Amino acid sequence: MIPAKNILLSLLLALLFFTFSCGKKIDEKEADKEDSVGIEVASYGNGQQLVTPVYGVRSIRVRNIGPLWKIFNDSNYLQLESARRLGIEPLGTLSSAYFVKRPIVKVSSNQYYQIDSLRHSIPFLVPEAAVLLEEIGKNFIDSLHSRGGDSYKIKVTSLLRTPETIGRLRRVNINATDSSTHQYGTTFDISYVNFYCTDSTRQINQGDLKNLLGEVLLDLKQKGRCLVKYENKTGCFHITVTK
């Protein structure tokens, strides 16, 4: 005769197995709801990626152009050459902006891009850079629409810097350099970790938006329009106009 203790233990194990199996089936059904699950890709400097599910976020089709940190690796030396050729003389003070030999134009948020709150720069660029920035924003929106997405604009995080603003920046960012191309009005930063969303009910996962922006920048880089550096620590593309 089987002891009562063994019978009780067998029943308990069977109950646990049944509960686990049912839970697994429910989870698998939930995972099949493609409309409610997106994939967010977080990239790291060493090329590794962490993929995590993001509920309520849509995915869009993106082209795999390769590791962004490898593709966009134009040195500060190359960008500095272009900045000195096309840009203004670095400003000693903000008031000296009124006496620059080359014209600069004020840039502000519009239908193509959003200017972030600027702490260490001022919203001015040389005309060539302003045209490039608008083209990047327009191409990003057009590409997003062609993939069935909408409600997003690129976010600009840095523009023209002066020695004063660079000094303040170096107190919080040891990677900031005195020879920054931002001083020439030819350079701007676009975030790849934050995009401006105009409709919170139509969210798209950040990994897809980042790679879509990479596609846009690669096209313009290959046309000789710009030089681009993937900034890992600051989460942005550092872009200098070339013509």
Side-chain angles (χ1 to χ4, degrees):
M1 183 174 183
I2 301 175
K5 182 186 294 185
N6 291 349
I7 295 175
L8 182 61
L9 180 60
S10 298
L11 290 173
L12 180 60
L13 290 174
L15 179 61
L16 288 173
F17 178 78
F18 177 77
T19 303
F20 174 79
S21 300
C22 291
K24 187 175 181 182
K25 289 179 181 179
I26 293 174
D27 289 342
E28 289 173 350
K29 289 181 180 179
E30 291 297 323
D32 287 337
K33 296 179 182 179
E34 295 183 358
D35 290 340
S36 65
V37 181
I39 299 297
E40 181 171 347
V41 181
S43 299
Y44 297 89
N46 58 8
Q48 295 180 344
Q49 292 183 323
L50 174 65
V51 181
T52 56
V54 180
Y55 293 89
V57 177
R58 294 181 297 154
S59 291
I60 58 172
R61 177 176 51 84
V62 292
R63 183 162 54 93
N64 182 14
I65 62 175
L68 300 181
W69 60 276
K70 278 188 176 181
I71 294 171
F72 302 111
N73 195 29
D74 294 320
S75 69
N76 186 66
Y77 174 78
L78 288 176
Q79 295 201 35
L80 199 54
E81 277 191 337
S82 184
R84 286 171 174 164
R85 176 171 52 86
L86 293 175
I88 62 173
E89 288 293 326
L91 302 176
T93 61
L94 290 178
S95 60
S96 61
Y98 294 100
F99 306 101
V100 292
K101 295 180 180 179
R102 282 221 57 200
I104 54 176
V105 296
K106 185 173 183 179
V107 293
S108 56
S109 300
N110 56 38
Q111 60 183 317
Y112 300 121
Y113 55 80
Q114 186 74 17
I115 303 295
D116 201 8
S117 54
L118 303 176
R119 293 185 177 181
H120 305 291
S121 63
I122 55 178
F124 290 90
L125 292 171
V126 295
E128 295 90 340
V131 169
L132 174 66
L133 174 57
E134 185 165 303
E135 187 170 353
I136 292 171
K138 184 178 185 302
N139 290 356
F140 175 81
I141 291 173
D142 289 345
S143 297
L144 185 59
H145 284 172
S146 71
R147 315 291 172 91
D150 54 27
S151 304
Y152 279 90
K153 299 189 290 184
I154 58 172
K155 183 177 286 187
V156 183
T157 57
S158 188
L159 294 152
L160 175 63
R161 294 177 187 163
T162 67
E164 180 185 359
T165 59
I166 291 174
R168 292 202 305 266
L169 179 59
R170 293 188 71 183
R171 297 189 192 106
V172 295
N173 181 5
I174 61 174
N175 294 314
T177 173
D178 286 333
S179 58
S180 170
T181 51
H182 283 281
Q183 296 180 93
Y184 299 87
T186 57
T187 303
F188 49 87
D189 294 343
I190 298 177
S191 175
Y192 60 70
V193 295
N194 288 303
F195 294 81
Y196 186 77
C197 181
T198 59
D199 186 351
S200 61
T201 67
R202 299 182 59 80
Q203 294 188 53
I204 298 171
N205 80 68
Q206 180 269 336
D208 287 348
L209 295 174
K210 172 182 177 179
N211 285 295
L212 183 64
L213 177 56
E215 289 183 37
V216 170
L217 293 177
L218 181 60
D219 177 62
L220 291 169
K221 175 179 162 65
Q222 291 175 337
K223 291 177 180 177
R225 295 289 309 285
C226 60
L227 296 169
V228 185
K229 174 70 174 178
Y230 179 93
E231 297 284 356
N232 186 53
K233 291 186 178 180
T234 54
C236 71
F237 290 107
H238 177 80
I239 304 161
T240 296
V241 68
T242 53
K243 63 180 181 180

